Amino acid sequence: MMHSVLIIAVAAVVTVALRFLPFVLFGGKRETPPYIQYLGRVLPCAVMGMLVIYCLRNINFTASPFGAPELIACAVVVGLHIWKRSSILSILGGTVCYVLLVQLVF
């Protein structure tokens, strides 16, 4: 029991420290370095790309259902995002679509 409490406490302290670290390093009158600004622009797209590749890496196009649930769910995500421009709605809609397809159809 004490071991679990200690693990949770360490995780909480590290999380809080990581949240405050940017404000300590770049707060006040100091200007944010150009490489940090660059990372702020490119990392969100890079992370999303890596997540898409990670989620679709095990599709087997040679066996049934030939990746249909994944590809349909991806189309739903893209369609919802183009239609509503809401990341939360797109992710939630794609997830629900995929789960329903896997559980009820394929």
Side-chain angles (χ1 to χ4, degrees):
M1 177 67 177
M2 186 61 178
H3 183 64
S4 298
V5 172
L6 184 60
I7 290 173
I8 292 170
V10 169
V13 169
V14 169
T15 301
V16 170
L18 289 175
R19 298 287 181 186
F20 285 115
L21 187 63
F23 296 103
V24 171
L25 293 177
F26 306 116
K29 305 280 187 207
R30 294 178 55 189
E31 189 172 319
T32 305
Y35 65 91
I36 298 295
Q37 292 176 357
Y38 169 75
L39 289 175
R41 285 191 309 272
V42 299
L43 278 182
C45 295
V47 168
M48 291 305 289
M50 286 189 324
L51 285 172
V52 168
I53 291 168
Y54 176 78
C55 290
L56 301 178
R57 75 189 187 286
N58 291 326
I59 294 178
N60 187 356
F61 291 107
T62 61
S64 182
F66 307 105
E70 292 88 351
L71 297 176
I72 292 169
C74 286
V76 168
V77 169
V78 170
L80 282 173
H81 194 71
I82 290 171
W83 178 44
K84 288 293 186 177
R85 297 278 183 214
S86 170
S87 297
I88 298 292
L89 178 65
S90 302
I91 294 168
L92 186 62
T95 302
V96 168
C97 174
Y98 177 74
V99 169
L100 289 175
L101 286 171
V102 170
Q103 295 297 320
L104 301 176
V105 179
F106 294 101

